[in-house]
Amino acid sequence: MRNTHPVLEAIDRHRKDLTALADRVWDTPELLYGEFASCATHTEMLRAKGFRVTENVTGIPTAVMGEAGDGGPVIAILGEYDALPGLSQVAGIAEPKPVVEGGNGHGCGHNLLGAASLLAACALKDWLAATGTPGRVRYYGCPAEEGGAAKAFMVRDGAFAGVDAAITWHPDGMTRVDDPESLANTRMDFLFTGRASHAAATPHLGRSALDAVELMSVGVNYLREHMVNGARIHYAYMDAGGSAPNVVQARARVRYSIRALELSDMLALVERVKDVARGAALMTGTAVDFQVISAVSNNLVNEVMDRAMQQVLEDLGGVPFDAADRAYAEAIRATLSPTDLEAPWRAVAQEPAAAPLCDWIVPLRPGGDKMIGSTDVSDVTWAVPTTEVLVACHAIGTPGHSWQLTAQGKSAAAHKGMTHAASAMALLAERLWTDTELLAAAQAEHARRLARTPYSSPLPADLAPPLVPRPV
Ligand SMILES: [Zn+2]
């Protein structure tokens, strides 16, 4: 199929520019809502390629949207470009070695994610112009996927109004349509306030906020047995009240992540966790305040979109890796544990094989041991029919958020994977424009599901995203 299709020819024309962009973003790893350089390089590329650009989308300085074409339907291609803390790593080697000790790194491959989505949008812009097809393509540069839930804020604030369907992807060890399940997730802080006192001389006058946090943990650990299937709760101490054991801690803050497979179950679980916190406050004579930090929904599947993406993948074939790609992937795999190496095979219900890289297409809905997380793409799935494809960019078994993943982020295999992802997304968009029944069926399915389960944003109406100041 390669090079014989106008959409794929257009991908080839823009490939070098966008591969270079992916490398630039890898070189400047920035954390949630601080992706100023990464967003700027996407914005410059959108302008250079002739898109109509909207910056500061829904008031988020590191969100950008570029549109091309005329009339409808409007197809959105979603990109991301945020990095992770502590995952700085030299590219192209197979041993842990940070570029900057303790620095940020692209340990989730979002440098590829944004660039491939923009590559797809560039190809589609050319194709719309060349064929005179009515329709618009939009590239959405979405920040803060890692813990910032930017897309949930963007959906709540109307960024996807007028969009008919959305397509996105994520770098992976295997090439496949993503599983439909994801966890609705609320991140919230519990701030306990007590009374400081000398812990030896006047302990009876103190009321310990740290005790309250510890009792809350105990209560939540008992709660776990009585949750709906698939729910998850985890926590981190944000402020243990200070470092002096001879002071009764007057304040303490703990952050919880509360997840469930359905939004309604998650919201009910949040209320039960709040009750546990209130109980801990009552037991310790402290006061407790709650503050939601971010929240995302579970995924609303669209079978029509997923089946259409699977067809595109099968027509396109696997990522064309070569012997050098496999040799580097083998070197990376030598650093991984047997459980790491086995996990991706279990996830697709296949016997583990020796292949270092996935150059085939996994069947749709393979079953297997799902590794279910949360993503802010989910809120977009409630706003418009959406599909997400996973494309092989790194050695099979590479854990997410690892130095090994950062190391592979500028490799030839990664560049091939991102080009393949762009091709798949662009081909699906082309089909949605040319096959009006396909788009209508996707939208009808979306409407049916929404009629059964109406959506309301999991974010409080007055909650603003935790933006960070632009560096001077
Ligand atoms: Zn990611």
Side-chain angles (χ1 to χ4, degrees), residues 108 110 145-146 170:
C108 204
H110 294 186
E145 193 281 327
E146 301 289 356
H170 201 288

Side-chain angles (χ1 to χ4, degrees), residues 379-469:
D379 289 87
V380 182
T381 70
W382 289 86
V384 290
T386 305
T387 186
E388 176 165 358
V389 62
L390 309 176
V391 177
C393 290
H394 47 251
I396 296 172
T398 307
H401 300 192
S402 63
W403 68 261
Q404 289 94 336
L405 209 149
T406 310
Q408 295 171 81
K410 286 168 97 175
S411 66
H415 292 156
K416 286 173 193 167
M418 71 162 265
T419 305
H420 217 69
S423 301
M425 291 188 286
L427 286 170
L428 178 58
E430 185 226 1
R431 287 182 193 184
L432 289 166
W433 278 313
T434 52
D435 181 351
T436 49
E437 281 177 22
L438 179 63
L439 181 58
Q443 291 185 324
E445 180 184 346
H446 187 72
R448 263 197 321 274
R449 289 182 189 276
L450 274 186
R452 255 197 324 269
T453 319
Y455 171 73
S456 64
S457 174
L459 293 167
D462 58 351
L463 181 70
L467 303 179
V468 300

Side-chain angles (χ1 to χ4, degrees), residues 45-311:
M45 187 64 75
L46 283 165
R47 288 226 165 83
K49 299 287 185 185
F51 284 82
R52 303 181 289 271
V53 174
T54 305
E55 292 185 80
N56 220 28
V57 176
T58 61
I60 301 175
T62 54
V64 65
M65 194 273 282
E67 187 187 77
D70 289 301
V74 178
I75 310 291
I77 315 282
L78 313 181
E80 298 166 11
Y81 31 66
D82 57 327
L84 288 153
L87 288 176
S88 174
Q89 165 65 31
V90 173
I93 63 173
E95 56 176 325
K97 185 180 178 196
V99 179
V100 178
E101 194 65 53
N104 307 330
H106 270 287
C108 204
H110 294 186
N111 61 308
L112 304 166
L113 208 174
S117 295
L118 184 44
L119 174 54
C122 290
L124 291 167
K125 175 179 179 290
D126 286 4
W127 181 85
L128 284 170
T131 58
T133 306
R136 281 171 287 162
V137 58
R138 287 184 183 174
Y139 169 78
Y140 281 87
C142 306
E145 193 281 327
E146 301 289 356
K151 291 187 206 69
F153 287 101
M154 291 166 75
V155 168
R156 186 194 67 182
D157 297 340
F160 297 92
V163 173
D164 290 285
I167 307 171
T168 190
W169 80 291
H170 201 288
D172 200 81
M174 301 246 189
T175 300
R176 55 188 294 224
V177 175
D178 200 7
D179 289 320
E181 297 84 3
S182 79
L183 292 161
N185 183 10
T186 291
R187 275 189 187 208
M188 61 188 300
D189 280 5
F190 295 83
L191 173 65
F192 290 91
T193 310
R195 196 161 62 230
S197 189
H198 194 297
T202 53
H204 58 292
L205 299 181
R207 296 291 179 268
S208 172
L210 181 59
D211 286 357
V213 167
E214 294 193 62
L215 285 166
M216 181 183 171
S217 304
V218 172
V220 169
N221 287 335
Y222 276 98
L223 177 67
R224 280 177 213 285
E225 190 186 342
H226 309 286
M227 308 189 302
V228 288
N229 256 346
R232 300 274 189 273
I233 304 183
H234 18 264
Y235 59 93
Y237 282 42
M238 306 301 288
D239 175 4
S243 56
N246 60 347
V247 178
V248 172
Q249 290 82 359
R251 61 162 208 290
R253 182 188 291 267
V254 61
R255 179 162 297 174
Y256 268 76
S257 185
I258 302 162
R259 313 196 203 211
L261 284 163
E262 297 290 339
L263 186 54
S264 53
D265 288 336
M266 180 200 74
L267 294 172
L269 196 54
V270 165
E271 292 307 314
R272 293 174 73 195
V273 173
K274 282 182 178 171
D275 278 345
V276 172
R278 288 186 188 104
L282 187 62
M283 282 189 280
T284 51
T286 60
V288 63
D289 271 324
F290 319 116
Q291 187 192 0
V292 173
I293 303 299
S294 68
V296 298
S297 302
N298 60 305
N299 202 60
L300 188 71
V301 68
N302 193 287
E303 295 287 349
V304 170
M305 291 282 285
D306 283 358
R307 279 199 301 272
M309 179 55 95
Q310 181 72 20
Q311 190 59 55

